[in-house]
Amino acid sequence: MDVRAAVATAAGRPLEVMTVQLDGPKAFEVLVEIKATGICHTDEFTLSGADPEGLFPAILGHEGAGVVIDVGPGVTSVQKGDHVIPLYTPECRACPSCLSRKTNLCTAIRATQGQGVMPDGTSRFSLEGKKLHHYMGCSTFANFTVLPEIAVAKIRQDAPFDKVCYIGCGVTTGIGAVLNTAKVERGAKAIVFGIGGIGLNVIQGLRLAGADMIIGVDLNNAKKEWGERFGMTHFVNPTEAGPDLVPHLVNMTKTGADQIGGADFTFDCTGNVGVMRQALEACHRGWGVSVIIGVAPSGAEIATRPFQLVTGRVWKGTAFGGARGRTDVPRIVDWYMDGKIEIDPMITHTMPLSEINAAFDLMRAGTSIRSVVIY
Ligand code: NAD
Ligand code: 022
Ligand code: ZN
C-alpha cells in the first residue's frame, strides 16, 4: 500500500515527506495506522549522522500512537481496531531477559531491530522498489507502519493519540526512571539535572513518589517556571552557582541532624558526561543513587574517583525507564486519563507531517519541550 512518510534519505539532510510503499504484516506482525508521533532527541541524533549505527535511507520516529488496521498470522494479543503505542523496547515475556524479572531489555528481536529490519530480516518499507530501513523497531514518521506483535502496547480506546504518543518514550522514561530504576521512596531528597522533555517527567515522577525536596538544575533560567509547574521545589542555575556546583547542591540538602548532606537520588537528563559526574558526586555518602538517563555522544566516557563509589554512592543507568512496555505503558496511559500525571502542557507544539522539519529546528534551538506531528 501507499503511505505518507518523512524519509531520512541521508545523514545531515532534512527529512523528505513523500509517498512510499508498505507491505502488509507477516506472521506475528501488526499493521498500525499512526495517528500522532512525538519528535525526540534520538531521531535527531540519528538524522544528524552522529549515530554510528544510523542507517539510511530510513523512516525514523519512535514515539507514536495509533490503531491496529490488520494483523498477520499467529497474532493473538491484539486485534483490528485496538489502540496501541509502539515499543522501541519490546516485551516478549519469553526471552532470558524478560524471564529474569531483573531487566526490561528484551532480547527477542534486538539484533534485527538494530539492523533496521523486521525479525525475519526484511523491510516492509520501500521506495520505487528500493528498501527503506525501519528505525528502533517503530518508524512512526509514517502514517502506517508494521510492528512485531511483541512491540505494541494495547491501550484504552478513549485516550487521545496526540497526547499519549509521548508515553511511547519521554513520559515513560522519566517516570519509570523514578519508580522502576531508582525506586524513590516517600520523603526523599532528589536532584534533577536538565529540565527538558525527560527531566520534567522525572520531576512529576518524583512528585508521584512523594519526594520532599526536588531540586532542578538547568543552564536555562526559563526552565525554573517549567520545573515548578510539575513539582520542582528548588532551582539552581550552574552558571550562577559558580564553579562549586556540587558543594552548593550538597549544602542545600543538609538538614538539622544530618550535616553530611547530599541527595538520596539524582538523575542526569542532559547526556553530558560532566553533568553525569556532578550528579553522582551530589549524592549522599553511604546510600545516594544516581541514575543516568541522558544519552551521551558516541564514544564518550564517564569518570569519577573510585572513592565516590567506595563510600557507598551507586551509579545506574536506565533504558525506557526500566519499563516493561506491554505491561507498564497501558498503566501509565490510565494514570494520565485519571489525572495522576500531566502531559498536555509539555506538548508545546503540534504540526502536520509536512512541517516535521520545523519540529527538529525547535528541538535544536531548545524552544520546545515536545513537538507532536498529528497525521
Ligand atoms: P531536552 O533538550 O528537552 O532537555 C535537556 C535540558 O538539559 C535542557 O533544558 C538544557 O538546558 C539542559 N542542560 C544542557 N546542558 C546542561 C548542563 N551542563 N547543566 C544543566 N542543564 C543542562 O532533552 P530531553 O528530551 O529532556 O532529553 C534528555 C536526554 O535524555 C537526551 O540525551 C535523550 O537522548 C535522553 N533520553 C534517554 C532515554 C533513555 O531511555 N535512557 C529516553 C529518552 C531520552
Ligand atoms: C530514546 N532514547 C533516547 C531518546 N529516546 C533511547 C536510546 C537508546 C536506548 C534507550 C532509549 C537504549 C539503551 C540501551 C539500549 N538502547 C540497548 C538495548 C539492548 O541492547 O537491548 C537502545 C534501544 C534501541 C535501539 C538502540 C539502543 C535501536 O532500536 N536501534 C532500546
Ligand atoms: Zn525518545
Side-chain angles (χ1 to χ4, degrees):
M1 65 190 281
D2 282 354
V3 307
R4 289 296 286 169
V7 180
T9 55
R13 300 269 301 264
L15 297 175
E16 287 182 37
V17 178
M18 56 175 102
T19 299
V20 306
Q21 282 71 50
L22 178 64
D23 291 337
K26 295 194 182 176
F28 307 108
E29 296 176 3
V30 300
L31 172 66
V32 174
E33 179 174 8
I34 299 292
K35 297 288 197 180
T37 180
I39 286 88
C40 174
H41 278 279
T42 241
D43 303 310
E44 159 61 10
F45 179 60
T46 300
L47 182 61
S48 71
D51 176 0
E53 281 158 24
L55 298 164
F56 299 92
I59 297 178
L60 306 180
H62 63 282
E63 196 177 75
V67 184
V68 174
I69 298 298
D70 196 9
V71 302
V75 171
T76 55
S77 59
V78 289
Q79 56 189 35
K80 282 184 202 181
D82 282 349
H83 293 198
V84 294
I85 289 178
L87 302 170
Y88 62 82
T89 303
E91 182 188 353
C92 77
R93 300 174 174 161
C95 72
S97 291
C98 284
L99 291 174
S100 78
R101 311 299 300 152
K102 295 179 184 178
T103 176
N104 65 327
L105 292 179
C106 174
T107 56
I109 58 170
R110 183 168 154 243
T112 47
Q113 183 170 322
Q115 292 156 6
V117 290
M118 294 299 286
D120 75 343
T122 65
S123 174
R124 301 290 159 271
F125 288 107
S126 60
L127 175 60
E128 289 155 5
K130 280 191 229 126
K131 158 179 162 180
L132 296 170
H133 289 98
H134 294 249
Y135 179 68
M136 290 183 89
C138 293
S139 294
T140 58
F141 294 168
N143 63 344
F144 292 86
T145 191
V146 171
L147 302 148
E149 173 183 22
I150 60 167
V152 297
K154 181 179 164 178
I155 61 163
R156 55 199 274 172
Q157 305 254 345
D158 57 345
F161 298 113
D162 60 337
K163 306 296 191 304
V164 298
C165 60
Y166 195 7
I167 296 174
C169 184
V171 172
T172 302
T173 296
I175 292 179
V178 173
L179 302 183
N180 303 322
T181 310
K183 299 189 168 70
V184 170
E185 61 259 358
R186 186 156 291 283
K189 298 190 184 85
I191 310 174
V192 184
F193 293 79
I195 308 173
I198 301 300
L200 288 173
N201 280 293
V202 170
I203 289 171
Q204 73 166 331
L206 287 165
R207 180 170 63 181
L208 205 62
D212 269 354
M213 187 179 206
I214 305 175
I215 304 174
V217 180
D218 203 294
L219 298 169
N220 178 352
N221 282 332
K223 299 300 174 96
K224 179 173 186 286
E225 216 173 298
W226 272 107
E228 285 169 352
R229 171 85 183 65
F230 294 94
M232 182 182 80
T233 59
H234 302 73
F235 177 75
V236 174
N237 184 328
T239 58
E240 292 163 14
D244 294 332
L245 175 65
V246 170
H248 178 79
L249 292 169
V250 168
N251 255 322
M252 286 175 78
T253 59
K254 283 181 187 164
T255 45
D258 179 8
Q259 285 305 306
I260 301 175
D264 302 306
F265 298 96
T266 67
F267 299 85
D268 167 70
C269 312
T270 70
N272 176 310
V273 293
V275 173
M276 292 177 191
R277 179 177 191 150
Q278 294 170 338
L280 178 82
E281 297 181 358
C283 280
H284 200 288
R285 172 192 163 91
W287 67 73
V289 175
S290 186
V291 180
I292 295 176
I293 306 174
V295 176
S298 149
E301 296 185 352
I302 49 170
T304 190
R305 298 209 172 125
F307 173 80
Q308 294 287 335
L309 303 181
V310 168
T311 48
R313 294 173 191 83
V314 177
W315 225 341
K316 290 188 157 192
T318 185
F320 195 41
R324 293 183 173 80
R326 289 201 286 163
T327 306
D328 295 341
V329 161
R331 278 215 290 261
I332 297 179
V333 171
D334 288 343
W335 294 351
Y336 167 69
M337 296 301 288
D338 295 344
K340 275 181 80 179
I341 60 167
E342 294 180 89
I343 294 182
D344 301 16
M346 293 186 219
I347 297 173
T348 51
H349 301 78
T350 58
M351 60 272 291
L353 185 65
S354 56
E355 285 162 38
I356 191 168
N357 286 302
F360 281 79
D361 293 338
L362 289 163
M363 188 168 62
R364 283 187 284 255
T367 314
S368 55
I369 300 296
R370 239 350 169 240
S371 291
V372 167
V373 161
I374 303 174
Y375 287 96

